[in-house]
Amino acid sequence: MNDLDTVFDDVLPPDHRSGVVSVVGRPNVGKSTLINRILGQKIAIVSPKPQTTRRQQMGIYTDSKSQILFMDTPGLHTPHHKLGEYMVGVAEEALKDADIILWVLDISVEPTKEDRQIAELVERSRGDTPVILALNKVDLVDPKTREAHLDAYGELVDNEAAIMVSAVQGDGVPDLVDYLREGMPEGPRYYPVDQVSEVNMRFIAAEVIREKIILNTEKEVPYSVAVEVEEYKERSETMTYISATIYVERDSQKGILIGKNGDMIKRIGSEARAELADMLGTQAYIELRVKVLKNWRMDEDLMRRLGYRLPKKGD
Ligand SMILES: Nc1nc2c(ncn2[C@@H]2O[C@H](COP(=O)(O)OP(=O)(O)OP(=O)(O)O)[C@@H](O)[C@H]2O)c(=O)[nH]1
Ligand SMILES: [Mg+2]
């Protein structure tokens, strides 16, 4: 969507705007899909299952007039383990750092109990930060239901605007970006025009592998998985080698992930290979292992080992 062809690093208009938009909401409403759509590129993994995003991830939107830093956050929910607590903490922190809070909601259903809880949290944490509602999944509802739900959502929290969008189809997204840009303070361009994210390919590779696991498994398995890329090598101009370990919490989950005759792990590997090859523009060779790290989601030390940046004990 960015008009990058007309953007040059050294020419900034005097009223150039920049700032942070924290994207929050309950799990599965389409926060990551919306950010990928705005950036015109997949930087965050997406799935039909809730609690897909686990960390704060920045997406950098640049056009000739502005640079908006979108903070994708884990869906706000009631946590049942340390990982969940960590995820909710990340989203709550993001509320405090924002120039605008973009609260994504699912207009295809009525506001839920979780939405009302989030309204309270937003009111508590926002200070004087403006809140904009992105009423997503508008493609799923007829106009009459839409209008009825629009009123209900508008009443959840004091807001500057409620904009209906379809992150999947793109409707309303340019209007939303215009609105967000208007609300940004004047400021410099913090990142080069061609940078869309802060994370490196190694992290994206781990996330793509995790996405394929989420899409291919059921029940607790998607939630019990962590992926660590141990080796990431550009072997040649046409070949990238990636070796990763998939951690699960129990032996039974290891069995499921390997599958009968190794079918499951092969499928995950080949789906990840296809997507990563596409992203990288090279062939990808992926080697996967599965290891058990008993109840890692309950254990802060193990979570730290897996790269979740928890505060040190005693902080
Ligand atoms: N029909 C429709 N589906 C959508 C839309 N936006 C997102 N989805 C679907 O909703 C599901 C959840 O999308 P995500 O982007 O992973 O949601 P999220 O809010 O980031 O979820 P968490 O990371 O778990 O908090 C996926 O299956 C998306 O394809 C939309 O505008 N219309
Ligand atoms: Mg997400």
Side-chain angles (χ1 to χ4, degrees):
M1 183 183 293
N2 310 20
D3 53 349
L4 278 186
D5 289 346
T6 59
V7 173
F8 302 97
D9 248 338
D10 50 345
V11 195
L12 285 188
D15 57 348
H16 185 271
R17 293 169 185 273
S18 55
V20 173
V21 172
S22 288
V23 183
V24 300
R26 66 182 162 78
N28 221 33
V29 291
K31 299 178 291 300
S32 301
T33 310
L34 180 60
I35 293 175
N36 289 341
R37 162 67 62 175
I38 291 170
L39 301 180
Q41 197 169 320
K42 178 165 169 177
I43 66 142
I45 61 167
V46 163
S47 94
K49 300 192 178 88
Q51 296 175 37
T52 298
T53 305
R54 288 184 179 165
R55 312 173 198 234
Q56 175 164 304
Q57 254 168 258
M58 184 170 70
I60 307 164
Y61 170 87
T62 306
D63 63 24
S64 54
K65 293 174 273 189
S66 65
Q67 184 162 73
I68 309 177
L69 311 179
F70 286 92
M71 301 299 168
D72 191 7
T73 64
L76 286 157
H77 64 283
T78 307
H80 299 295
H81 42 64
K82 296 271 181 209
L83 177 65
E85 283 171 26
Y86 166 81
M87 286 161 58
V88 171
V90 167
E92 289 185 5
E93 269 312 299
L95 284 171
K96 294 178 195 149
D97 298 336
D99 292 298
I100 292 181
I101 295 168
L102 181 63
W103 182 6
V104 183
L105 296 138
D106 178 353
I107 198 174
S108 72
V109 295
E110 287 181 359
T112 63
K113 197 172 125 224
E114 289 78 25
D115 289 328
R116 294 184 200 289
Q117 288 167 344
I118 293 171
E120 284 172 25
L121 173 71
V122 168
E123 284 298 10
R124 269 203 314 275
S125 323
R126 67 187 291 184
D128 48 16
T129 309
V131 175
I132 291 180
L133 308 181
L135 302 172
N136 190 31
K137 308 201 185 182
V138 72
D139 54 291
L140 295 179
V141 273
D142 60 79
K144 212 168 138 206
T145 326
R146 204 183 285 176
E147 290 310 313
H149 290 177
L150 179 62
D151 288 344
Y153 278 112
E155 283 164 13
L156 280 178
V157 74
D158 255 349
N159 61 80
E160 302 285 304
I163 298 173
M164 288 191 265
V165 294
S166 169
V168 161
Q169 296 186 353
D171 313 14
V173 175
D175 288 345
L176 175 64
V177 173
D178 285 346
Y179 212 93
L180 294 169
R181 186 194 298 110
E182 290 295 306
M184 290 288 105
E186 284 186 12
R189 188 179 283 158
Y190 295 104
Y191 293 87
V193 292
D194 56 354
Q195 189 173 345
V196 289
S197 139
E198 236 187 355
V199 295
N200 54 27
M201 259 329 284
R202 206 183 169 103
F203 177 74
I204 291 180
E207 286 287 273
V208 168
I209 295 165
R210 194 165 67 81
E211 181 188 70
K212 302 314 170 200
I213 298 168
I214 298 174
L215 294 174
N216 280 293
T217 58
E218 299 293 331
K219 304 211 173 84
E220 274 300 288
V221 180
Y223 306 104
S224 308
V225 160
V227 178
E228 192 175 36
V229 167
E230 268 126 17
E231 256 188 279
Y232 182 97
K233 281 202 186 114
E234 283 150 22
R235 285 232 164 123
S236 69
E237 276 185 12
T238 55
M239 164 64 83
T240 308
Y241 170 80
I242 297 163
S243 151
T245 301
I246 301 168
Y247 292 98
V248 289
E249 293 198 300
R250 289 199 292 275
D251 290 325
S252 58
Q253 295 165 342
K254 179 173 174 176
I256 291 168
L257 271 186
I258 291 171
K260 212 169 159 201
N261 303 322
D263 282 357
M264 178 58 93
I265 197 80
K266 272 185 218 147
R267 185 182 326 156
I268 290 162
S270 78
E271 288 181 9
R273 169 161 43 79
E275 179 156 346
L276 286 165
D278 214 39
M279 280 180 167
L280 293 165
T282 71
Q283 288 177 5
Y285 183 86
I286 299 184
E287 217 167 76
L288 298 174
R289 275 169 306 283
V290 185
K291 284 191 190 162
V292 177
L293 211 52
K294 283 238 171 346
N295 296 330
W296 68 265
R297 286 184 299 166
M298 301 286 192
D299 184 324
E300 295 195 351
D301 288 333
L302 291 180
M303 283 174 56
R304 271 192 208 97
R305 216 180 103 186
L306 292 170
Y308 294 96
R309 288 202 202 105
L310 296 146
K312 296 238 166 55
K313 281 173 197 155
D315 276 7

